[in-house]
Each structure stands twice: as C-alpha cells, then as structure tokens.
Amino acid sequence: MQQEIRFATFNVCNLAPAGAKLYDNLDPLSPAQYEAKAEWTARQIDLLDADVIGFQEIFSQAALRDVLSRTRRYRDAALAGYDATDIAGRMLPTVALVSRLPLAGPGVAHADFPAGISLSADASDDNPCRFARAPLHVPVMLPGGQLTDVVVLHLKSRRPDYRHGEGSDALAYALANLRSLQRRGAEAVALRVLVSELGRSGRPRIVLGDFNDIANAVTTSIVMGAGAPCAPQGVRPEMRERLYDANAIALRQDAARHAGYTNIHDSAYMTIDHILVSEHFHPASPRAIGAVLDVNYLNDHLLLGLPQASDHGQVLMRVKLLGNID
C-alpha cells in the first residue's frame, strides 16, 4: 500500500484560452502567451508531484485539460470541476480538483450559502447568499480504502469592492475594503457550516485553496472552527469539529519553513494559500489515520517576474499514513 500521500493547492492565475476576454482591464492572452503559460503550468504541476491538487482561477476546464495533457504525471488523472459564466456570457473563475487517487463520486459545487447565512443588509451585494466562486467538494479514496472529503475553495480577495459612483477618497476606500471583508467573512461562515456538515460522516476532511488571508486571520479561523466549546472529561468532540493548519501541526518543523509565503502584495510577503486537515491527520488525535510530515512552498517564481507564471506560490503537504510514521 502507498505509504505517503501528497496534497497541494495551486492558484494558476487566470487560466483561460487564448483570446478570451476575462476583465475589462486585462488583455486576452495571445496564442504565444497561452502556450508559454500552459507549458509553465504543466511543468509546475509535475514538480509538485502531488496525489491530489486543488486549483483556483480556472476560467476553462478545457484549458486545464490541455495543461494536464502537457504534463508527464497527470495525463490520466481524474479531473473534477465546472465552468461558469456571467449574464453576458463572459467566463468566470472557478476551482477544480485533479487526482491520481480514485474519486469516490462526482465533484459537487456549492454555489449557495447554507440556509440562514447571508451578507449584512448594508453590504449592497447583488448575491448576498451565494459564493463568488463556488467551493468544490470531491470524495477521494485514499490508499487502503479510506474515503476522504476534499474541499477546494477560493475566498473573496482583499481587492476593494467599490460601488458605482463612489469617489476615491479615504472613506470610499475604507468602505470598499469593508465590503470585501464582509463577503470573505460570510463565505468563511458558509464554509464552516459546509465543513461541519461533512464532518457528521466521521470521514477525514481536507480543505485547501486560496483563503486570501493569513492563517491567523479571523476569516481563516472561522473556517477552521477555532474556539470550539470545551469537551466533557475523556471526550474530545472539539477535535472532531475543528480543522488544523497543516503547517502548524507538521511533525517536521523547520524555522526557515515558517518564512514560506505564497503571495507578494505591495512588497509584503504573505501566506494566503493554505491546507487545513481534520483530526484524522493530527498526531494528537486517537482517530488519526496519518500525520502531516511537512508542508513546503514552491515560490521561487514569484521573484523572477516570469510573465507566464502564477502570482501565487504553491503549497504542498506530505502525509505519512498511520503505522508508517518515522
């Protein structure tokens, strides 16, 4: 049986066919630019060499399939994902999952928030009860037959959410940032409910993607379920509710690794892409089926300024299955 499994998350940065218009302020890729991006992305996927990879900013599943066809390790991998368009027919960014492990069912995109969750009334959002980018839930079969729920997400960015007619003064900028935070917060709460509902099955859960915030941020902590009520003596249901930052519970801790980052914005180095795991991969849990060995960041390209490269680093988690932990 395979003893080590790997999970990764990869924001590819606007993967779309050549000529596709994505944003008003962004020119479509030329055929040569698309070719360079597809080749770079394929090489990066092979470099990750992960069993399961969650992707963000996929504007076209066909483009992702084209990239996979250029890899050496993923030409036969399973792909779960969906395409989305706006009312004008323009492509919208989505998430996807690629797996070399067997899928136990089709991927399910959760476009709507669970009942009872919405943005506040003053958020002025056209879709107060929907994710901007629907998270994708895919059941994956681990070596040995353990069914595991994997959720790929992409939360609202920090980009200020201006409304039509607003000025550019300090107050307008502050309010626009607040709207982005409100949406990211609402999406985090909706994900917490979704992940909790998946947890009722007792199966392992892995949640990965672009959180657009650091691990200690309130929104990320909401998704984790941090601060769960204390358990009765001898029982630890709080572990069953929570998710854990894989980097924080890894067996192999290296001070240099904590300098890892996945994004550079305004000269600030931040880790906003994360992999969260349920107690089944926490060495302190009596229900553990494995343990996180380490978490690594592939981010050298962020300093090279390659036009075809992503503006995010990739996160790679290695898990040793129980009974084979060094």
Side-chain angles (χ1 to χ4, degrees):
M1 185 181 77
Q2 184 177 345
Q3 297 180 351
E4 179 185 299
I5 51 177
R6 296 182 172 198
F7 290 81
T9 181
F10 187 173
N11 183 323
V12 297
C13 186
N14 300 337
L15 180 63
K21 184 67 174 178
L22 306 181
Y23 300 109
D24 291 338
N25 62 348
L26 182 67
D27 291 332
L29 292 177
S30 68
Q33 289 172 327
Y34 172 79
E35 186 72 16
K37 183 174 185 63
E39 287 293 330
W40 181 88
T41 305
R43 289 195 300 271
Q44 203 73 1
I45 292 173
D46 276 332
L47 184 61
L48 282 169
D49 195 18
D51 298 291
V52 177
I53 306 176
F55 292 91
Q56 300 84 44
E57 297 197 19
I58 303 296
F59 282 81
S60 165
Q61 297 298 314
L64 180 54
R65 283 191 288 270
D66 175 54
V67 168
L68 295 176
S69 73
R70 300 166 185 255
T71 65
R72 293 181 292 107
R73 306 176 188 272
Y74 294 87
R75 294 176 183 176
D76 298 321
L79 169 61
Y82 61 96
D83 286 322
T85 58
D86 62 16
I87 57 175
R90 182 177 291 186
M91 294 177 175
L92 294 174
T94 67
V95 301
L97 178 140
V98 170
S99 178
R100 297 186 303 203
L101 299 177
L103 303 186
V108 177
H110 293 266
D112 297 322
F113 290 170
I117 301 173
S118 69
L119 287 165
S120 59
D122 59 353
S124 303
D125 196 282
D126 294 334
N127 296 296
C129 299
R130 292 173 64 88
F131 288 96
R133 293 168 286 241
L136 181 70
H137 165 228
V138 186
V140 176
M141 194 70 69
L142 300 187
Q146 175 63 65
L147 185 62
T148 298
D149 292 306
V150 181
V151 177
V152 186
L153 62 85
H154 187 182
L155 295 184
K156 174 67 176 72
S157 73
R158 295 188 179 195
R159 184 177 296 109
D161 185 4
Y162 285 102
R163 291 295 182 253
H164 181 70
E166 285 187 331
S168 57
D169 58 12
L171 176 58
Y173 178 73
L175 289 174
N177 277 284
L178 176 59
R179 291 189 195 100
S180 291
L181 177 59
Q182 286 175 318
R183 168 155 285 284
R184 192 163 62 255
E187 290 183 342
V189 172
L191 274 163
R192 164 75 341 225
V193 174
L194 172 61
V195 171
S196 294
E197 291 175 348
L198 291 175
R200 293 175 183 171
S201 68
R203 297 193 297 261
R205 290 160 293 161
I206 297 176
V207 178
L208 46 80
D210 180 356
F211 287 70
N212 268 308
D213 229 329
I214 62 174
N216 292 332
V218 171
T219 52
T220 313
S221 296
I222 288 173
V223 179
M224 290 184 192
C230 294
Q233 186 174 6
V235 182
R236 304 189 69 177
E238 78 281 8
M239 287 198 76
R240 300 185 181 187
E241 286 294 322
R242 285 204 55 179
L243 296 173
Y244 299 87
D245 177 14
N247 188 48
I249 64 170
L251 292 175
R252 298 174 184 170
Q253 293 289 335
D254 180 348
R257 183 173 293 118
H258 292 287
Y261 57 91
T262 65
N263 186 253
I264 305 174
H265 181 69
D266 288 340
S267 300
Y269 293 71
M270 299 180 294
T271 301
I272 61 175
D273 303 82
H274 309 288
I275 300 178
L276 310 181
V277 298
S278 62
E279 63 162 324
H280 303 82
F281 305 102
H282 195 306
S285 171
R287 297 203 301 165
I289 64 169
V292 178
L293 281 178
D294 53 36
V295 175
N296 295 282
Y297 302 90
L298 283 66
N299 53 23
D300 288 346
H301 59 276
L302 296 178
L303 300 176
L304 297 177
L306 303 174
Q308 69 270 30
S310 172
D311 59 351
H312 281 246
Q314 292 80 59
V315 185
L316 175 66
M317 173 184 73
R318 297 194 306 139
V319 172
K320 202 76 169 179
L321 296 178
L322 195 63
N324 300 295
I325 300 175
D326 294 335

